[in-house]
Amino acid sequence: MSIDIAVVPVAGIGTRLLPATKSQPKEMLPVGRKPVVQYVAEELAHSGIRRLLFITGARKTTIENHFDEDSELITHLRDSGREHELAELDFERQDMQYFYTRQRRQLGLGHAVLCAAPLIGDQPFVVALGDSIIGMHAQSDIVGRMLDEFEKARADVVVAFEEVPESDVEKYGIAKPRGPVGDVFELESVVEKPVRGEQPSNLAVAARYVFSPKIFDFLRQTKRGKGNEIQLTDAMHEVLQAGGKGIGLRLKSGEQRFDIGNYQSYFRAFTEFALADDKEGDGLRDYLKELLRET
Ligand code: G1P
């Protein structure tokens, strides 16, 4: 069985990033040269995903435009003798098919994933949140490693985790491991945004999941939870409670997760990516050194 389809939820309103996200999706915010969601698509392509199903919403049409081939732009670059800039559009031709469906009501991440059920049907699938980048150059193969573990363990739920400081456990789904925690470990449960001090570990859900289609049965029954939303974490908990097999994978060093869901981590991500830019990074580094000396 080879899994080549990923669901990418991008329907959230992005209230933590207002006013920047009032009329544009947070997934289209630039990090260095590219919008966040382009890194996500490139990372998934690198792990063998060939079909992306975006769960979108109102205000999100620029995501669809971004992945279309823009013949007008191509002609314009050719006619004005700037063919060398066409390389910037290579991602348009990557080996990937794009599909879109709308989450028509803002009922949370669990509900967004459930919107994929009629199209995914009875097959396992990947979920990659459209507001998180893994590693600097979209070269992480975390999803490929998760798919290997999914098949090896005949799992129902596989989740990527990243260790976070205690002050951050309230922002994420947190792993409750069963037994010792290595690079790959067994998952007893996941708890959505626990109160600080009550977290079962410091391992935070890092925006990449693999599910067997069983998750849909549980999502259909999941009641509203934290934030009055239908939580994917709650459905995962129920799958595991009912005897489903759960596996956690830890991100490796060099696979840092950049969460473009709040300004502090967005600013950090932008700075790191800009500093790593081939052409502009060195100039920016000199400028920042100068700037910091003055303050
Ligand atoms: C969602 C999930 C949470 C996960 C996080 C990862 O939260 O509910 O479990 O850790 O994404 O980015 P949100 O960021 O939508 O509040």
Side-chain angles (χ1 to χ4, degrees):
M1 171 184 48
S2 105
I3 301 169
D4 75 344
I5 188 158
V7 172
V8 183
V10 292
I13 301 182
T15 47
R16 278 170 282 188
L17 290 172
L18 283 169
T21 52
K22 177 158 181 268
S23 61
Q24 70 168 338
K26 66 175 166 177
E27 297 81 7
M28 285 300 290
L29 290 176
V31 175
R33 287 174 189 251
K34 302 174 189 173
V36 181
V37 72
Q38 187 179 330
Y39 293 102
V40 176
E42 289 176 352
E43 175 211 320
L44 292 171
H46 184 68
S47 274
I49 298 298
R50 294 289 170 262
R51 292 178 292 159
L52 289 192
L53 170 55
F54 287 98
I55 312 298
T56 100
R59 303 188 190 84
K60 302 282 179 167
T61 46
T62 53
I63 295 176
E64 298 172 42
N65 297 342
H66 190 70
F67 289 104
D68 273 353
E69 283 197 29
D70 187 338
S71 51
E72 203 179 314
L73 178 58
I74 293 171
T75 311
H76 174 71
L77 289 175
R78 284 217 173 99
D79 290 353
S80 53
R82 284 149 62 200
E83 260 166 334
H84 57 284
E85 289 176 25
L86 283 173
E88 300 297 345
L89 303 178
D90 278 353
F91 74 96
E92 287 179 356
R93 286 183 297 281
Q94 72 182 352
D95 184 10
M96 187 72 86
Q97 280 183 291
Y98 301 96
F99 303 88
Y100 301 89
T101 189
R102 286 250 187 148
Q103 181 185 21
R104 293 159 71 197
R105 294 169 63 202
Q106 290 282 320
L107 295 179
L109 179 60
H111 177 257
V113 171
L114 187 56
C115 292
L119 293 152
I120 296 289
D122 197 23
Q123 60 178 326
F125 62 103
V126 169
V127 172
L129 305 189
D131 66 354
S132 285
I133 302 171
I134 310 288
M136 294 280 306
H137 302 290
Q139 292 299 302
S140 162
D141 65 350
I142 181 66
V143 167
R145 301 197 317 269
M146 291 166 76
L147 290 171
D148 289 346
E149 294 299 332
F150 180 85
E151 286 177 14
K152 205 159 78 189
R154 296 174 180 277
D156 294 297
V157 172
V158 176
V159 186
F161 290 98
E162 182 183 51
E163 199 156 326
V164 295
E166 192 175 350
S167 53
D168 278 355
V169 295
E170 294 179 344
K171 292 187 195 159
Y172 299 110
I174 299 291
K176 182 173 185 194
R178 191 195 306 277
V181 175
D183 290 343
V184 178
F185 59 95
E186 229 184 288
L187 204 51
E188 185 180 322
S189 180
V190 186
V191 184
E192 182 67 8
K193 302 189 177 112
V195 173
R196 192 169 165 179
E198 289 176 16
Q199 70 275 14
S201 74
N202 278 27
L203 295 167
V205 173
R208 302 291 180 269
Y209 314 76
V210 185
F211 294 116
S212 74
K214 235 185 236 180
I215 192 76
F216 292 133
D217 299 334
F218 288 86
L219 278 171
R220 282 187 193 99
Q221 291 165 33
T222 303
K223 304 261 182 314
R224 291 175 187 241
K226 278 260 155 72
N228 201 26
E229 294 187 335
I230 296 172
Q231 296 290 346
L232 182 57
T233 302
D234 293 346
M236 286 196 279
H237 171 79
E238 292 303 326
V239 171
L240 299 175
Q241 282 289 105
K245 178 131 194 205
I247 302 284
L249 269 81
R250 293 170 69 126
L251 296 180
K252 289 190 200 154
S253 66
E255 276 186 331
Q256 181 187 353
R257 178 272 271 278
F258 296 95
D259 176 6
I260 317 302
N262 63 75
Y263 274 116
Q264 180 61 228
S265 55
Y266 173 49
F267 288 165
R268 288 183 188 195
F270 193 98
T271 309
E272 278 202 47
F273 278 65
L275 285 171
D277 190 89
D278 281 350
K279 289 193 196 129
E280 310 296 343
D282 288 345
L284 178 65
R285 183 167 290 101
D286 293 344
Y287 174 75
L288 286 178
K289 275 189 195 151
E290 212 38 55
L291 193 69
L292 293 172
R293 230 195 316 270
E294 281 168 19
T295 52

